[in-house]
Amino acid sequence: MLIRLFSWMMLAVLAAFLVNNYLNFWQGFPGAGAAFGAQAHGGASPALAWLQVGLYVLGIALAALYVMRSKDTPLRADSKRITDMNTFIIRAAFWAVVIVGLADMTIAFLRVEGLLEHYFGHQLASDLGRSQFRGPYVHMPLIAVSIVIAAFTRTLGFPWLALLVVVAELLIVVGRFIFSYEQAFMADLVRFWYAALFLFASAYTLLEEGHVRVDVFYSGFSSKLKGYVNALGSIFLGMTFCWTILIIGMAGRNNIINSPLLSYEVTQSGFGLFVKYLMAGFLAVFAATMLIQFVSYLLDAVADIREEPGGRDHEAPHIS
């Protein structure tokens, strides 16, 4: 019961933290800390700070209510439910980078070849040349479409994303050495997709036991002792690491994740992709999905400690 409470409350605090981050820096809310005397982030009424505190309280209360009303739910069932939720988030992120990457590449190609104004008119072509327009009016709707697609698909698509990275790199080679043609957006697309592949696949790799494990004593441990190692590692190493990224990256307007997102930061190459700000957001996606997966991993590890049925061999890759 205690470990389930801890796990679901951890997820509730994560959700409240992310929602409050949006309210603080995109909507000008003062921040939950302002209710306790901390400096307000925005110019909104300080009374709204208590509303933001209420988000944490509400999330924790709902988590506790869920656990109390499902006392008989096995730990492994909760672990699977959390993994399924995380899989949906990662799947939506995968579709987002594919669709946004292709759309932004198309716009960049038309722009560099002087065709954007011909197809879209002078005003829209001018607007599409500004990241502050392309981000909210092109990228964000495509990300929303990606979430819908993710709800109706059941594949993470990482092999496909890896293939797209290879194809994009191949096009650079063919264009450079055969047609003597190369533009900044081509290299930007490779970096955009490769960063997504590396960061979004991390949580999935944790599920599949694919991360490198420094195995000196672990392989000789009993299943119960492995459970203790995995549980303590998830809390004190994994979750701590993820919260460090989130807090350092998103605690203020000028922090390393928030700052590029708020300014829709782009690369210095004028005709490259306008997705650099999204790559900063990849760090938030990485930390959040890894945190969620560590919560799932914790529940599974405690189930091993309790010697509940349904455990798996942590030395072999998991087949889902």
Side-chain angles (χ1 to χ4, degrees):
M1 181 69 71
L2 288 177
I3 202 65
R4 291 185 67 224
L5 278 171
F6 172 81
S7 299
W8 284 103
M9 286 181 180
M10 178 70 72
L11 298 182
V13 170
L14 172 63
F17 174 84
L18 295 175
V19 171
N20 273 332
N21 184 77
Y22 170 76
L23 294 175
N24 292 344
F25 304 113
W26 275 265
Q27 299 300 324
F29 277 50
F36 305 99
Q39 183 178 359
H41 291 293
S45 169
L48 292 175
W50 287 105
L51 175 63
Q52 294 183 263
V53 172
L55 290 176
Y56 287 101
V57 175
L58 177 63
I60 291 172
L62 289 175
L65 179 63
Y66 166 75
V67 172
M68 297 303 294
R69 295 186 64 177
S70 58
K71 295 180 180 179
D72 297 329
T73 301
L75 292 174
R76 298 197 198 279
D78 262 353
S79 176
K80 184 179 185 305
R81 185 173 292 115
I82 293 169
T83 293
D84 290 343
M85 175 178 65
N86 204 28
T87 300
F88 170 76
I89 296 171
I90 300 170
R91 188 164 60 239
F94 158 75
W95 282 108
V97 297
V98 171
I99 296 173
V100 169
L102 292 174
D104 214 70
M105 180 195 67
T106 303
I107 294 172
F109 172 75
L110 293 174
R111 185 164 176 252
V112 77
E113 296 299 329
L115 299 173
L116 198 59
E117 186 171 338
H118 173 74
Y119 287 109
F120 295 100
H122 175 73
Q123 184 58 50
L124 184 55
S126 176
D127 289 337
L128 288 171
R130 297 184 298 108
S131 62
Q132 288 78 5
F133 178 88
R134 200 186 299 185
Y137 294 104
V138 177
H139 297 166
M140 297 307 160
L142 291 177
I143 291 173
V145 170
S146 302
I147 295 172
V148 175
I149 294 174
F152 294 96
T153 60
R154 290 295 179 268
T155 176
L156 286 175
F158 291 122
W160 292 107
L161 185 55
L163 177 62
L164 287 173
V165 172
V166 173
V167 170
E169 189 64 53
L170 179 62
L171 289 176
I172 293 176
V173 174
V174 172
R176 178 188 301 169
F177 294 105
I178 297 180
F179 299 104
S180 298
Y181 180 88
E182 184 178 6
Q183 298 293 342
F185 67 81
M186 300 170 74
D188 286 348
L189 183 63
V190 172
R191 284 190 289 268
F192 182 62
W193 279 345
Y194 186 77
L197 176 65
F198 180 81
L199 292 172
F200 295 170
S202 292
Y204 179 73
T205 306
L206 177 63
L207 169 66
E208 298 292 329
E209 300 283 351
H211 285 285
V212 174
R213 189 192 297 273
V214 181
D215 186 3
V216 179
F217 305 107
Y218 183 84
S219 61
F221 290 167
S222 65
S223 177
K224 189 172 184 178
L225 187 53
K226 286 180 181 178
Y228 278 109
V229 171
N230 291 333
L232 294 174
S234 294
I235 295 173
F236 294 107
L237 298 178
M239 296 181 193
T240 303
F241 171 67
C242 294
W243 274 116
T244 299
I245 294 175
L246 290 170
I247 292 171
I248 292 178
M250 307 178 76
R253 178 175 293 275
N254 296 319
N255 289 47
I256 57 174
I257 294 177
N258 280 340
S259 179
L261 289 172
L262 288 166
S263 63
Y264 293 100
E265 183 178 340
V266 298
T267 58
Q268 295 300 314
S269 55
F271 291 94
L273 299 188
F274 285 8
V275 295
K276 185 178 179 180
Y277 75 99
L278 289 175
M279 294 174 72
F282 288 179
L283 289 174
V285 175
F286 163 77
T289 54
M290 284 294 284
L291 178 59
I292 294 169
Q293 198 58 49
F294 274 122
V295 170
S296 173
Y297 205 64
L298 170 64
L299 289 166
D300 202 46
V302 175
D304 288 338
I305 295 172
R306 291 164 54 86
E307 298 181 334
E308 294 183 4
R312 57 190 173 92
D313 183 4
H314 290 284
E315 297 300 306
H318 170 61
I319 303 299
S320 58

